[in-house]
Amino acid sequence: MAPLAAELGSFDPLVQGFLAYLEFERGLSPNTIDAYRGDLGQLGRHLGPGRPAASAGPDELAGFLAGLAAGGAGAATLARKAACLRSFYRHLRRTGIVACDPTAELRGPPKTRHLPRVLTRREVAHLLAGPRGDRPGPLRDRALLELMYACGLRASEAIGLHVVDLDRARHRLRVASPGRERVMPVGGAALAAVASYLEAGRPALVRRAAEPHLFVNLRGAGLTRQGLYKIVQGYAREAGLAGRMSPNTLRHTFATHALAGGGDLRALQELLGHADAATTQVYRQLSAARPVGRARGYRD
């Protein structure tokens, strides 16, 4: 079998020289060199015909990795490609071919995380059926759970909502998160639950107090994170989901159901308030693994 460095054909001469260095001077295995060859070949296609790799700048290299991430490349794959780029450009810097290393500040992929837990549609139905009756507490709890699922709210966003943030006439909810604000559509089931709470539940809790928060505790003050956690955990136990969910599980479930039902990734990114599309990408993996149907309230 011919040496891998000799099989490169029309590759950029700088890439050929680098792979020959890896093979003959560093003694790397053929499989490792083959992986580097594939990664640098991908970079060459990204740069376009006639563009030598030495001409790439930091933004182009970052864009190359971002494009791979948007296309579904996993964290391990991105980490390997980033390592390949660093090794290649450091070699060019050592040999005087480039004056500056364009990978000096190249950000690698985030650390690998476990995929978040999500509920099936059946499990969501059991959870949302938990608050029963027309007393103020259950009315509040039903509205809270319905709205968190329908809008994919973070726990902090749910407890931070004010009454004026809900536009019942237009079926919209204004959500404030750190550094940005977004407007969410609210589905019929969630809107009905919140309307019942506002009409027959919340007034009995706040009485005549000037409390701006939408969700309040049994003393009429704004609901705390600890209070929200207790509510969610209580109904999770009733639904047989003890130990399997947290308040943010409803957010993950909303996102996964939305994509599984045909939702657009970019639209979902806006709805969730993610600054980086790579953060939203994890839900594509979840929706592919669990074809659970469209999330109620996402587009109804």
Side-chain angles (χ1 to χ4, degrees):
M1 177 177 175
L4 290 169
E7 300 174 5
L8 299 174
S10 60
F11 260 47
D12 183 335
L14 295 178
V15 175
Q16 290 180 316
F18 172 64
L19 295 178
Y21 159 76
L22 295 179
E23 182 177 1
F24 298 119
E25 295 191 36
R26 293 193 54 190
L28 298 188
S29 71
N31 286 340
T32 300
I33 297 172
D34 198 34
Y36 274 59
R37 178 177 63 173
D39 293 342
L40 293 171
Q42 242 182 335
L43 174 63
R45 291 189 291 275
H46 173 77
L47 295 175
R51 280 286 307 281
S55 68
D59 290 343
E60 285 180 296
L61 297 179
F64 169 60
L65 293 179
L68 295 175
T77 298
L78 293 173
R80 193 199 73 225
K81 292 181 186 296
C84 171
L85 294 179
R86 291 191 187 96
S87 181
F88 175 59
Y89 284 100
R90 285 170 185 169
H91 173 73
L92 297 187
R93 177 72 179 85
R94 282 195 306 269
T95 54
I97 295 172
V98 296
C100 299
D101 178 2
T103 68
E105 297 183 5
L106 186 67
R107 296 176 58 190
K111 293 181 179 179
T112 302
R113 298 180 300 174
H114 293 296
L115 293 178
R117 291 181 177 180
V118 297
L119 306 179
T120 65
R121 289 182 64 86
R122 182 186 297 273
E123 290 169 337
V124 170
H126 285 317
L127 182 73
L128 297 182
R132 293 177 292 275
D134 56 3
R135 291 179 292 108
L139 288 176
R140 176 205 60 194
D141 299 346
R142 187 179 305 119
L144 176 64
L145 295 175
E146 287 275 7
L147 199 62
M148 289 183 70
Y149 172 57
C151 297
L153 300 177
R154 299 177 177 93
S156 59
E157 293 170 346
I159 63 176
L161 290 174
H162 287 187
V163 175
V164 295
D165 291 330
L166 179 66
D167 185 340
R168 294 166 63 181
R170 298 183 180 181
H171 294 204
R172 294 179 181 175
L173 181 71
R174 184 175 67 243
V175 181
S177 54
R180 60 195 302 145
E181 181 179 285
R182 65 190 191 277
V183 177
M184 298 284 297
V186 183
L191 196 67
V194 177
S196 295
Y197 163 63
L198 287 174
E199 292 163 8
R202 189 177 182 279
L205 295 174
V206 299
R207 297 177 179 85
R208 295 186 179 182
E211 173 54 59
H213 286 93
L214 175 59
F215 294 111
V216 298
N217 58 30
L218 299 182
R219 296 185 301 277
L223 195 63
T224 64
R225 184 182 291 271
Q226 292 81 2
L228 172 63
Y229 184 85
K230 289 180 180 179
I231 291 169
V232 172
Q233 289 301 303
Y235 289 109
R237 284 193 298 272
E238 288 185 15
L241 301 171
R244 294 182 51 198
M245 67 172 294
S246 69
N248 282 341
T249 300
L250 286 171
R251 174 176 168 85
H252 302 319
T253 300
F254 156 79
T256 303
H257 289 188
L259 286 180
D264 177 73
L265 186 68
R266 182 56 61 87
L268 180 62
Q269 178 188 349
E270 292 296 321
L271 290 174
L272 292 174
H274 287 162
D276 187 349
T279 307
T280 319
Q281 186 72 34
V282 66
Y283 298 114
R284 188 177 295 283
Q285 300 176 49
L286 285 167
S287 64
R290 303 186 72 172
V292 288
R294 180 161 43 186
R296 178 162 48 127
Y298 175 65
R299 302 175 79 181
D300 78 12

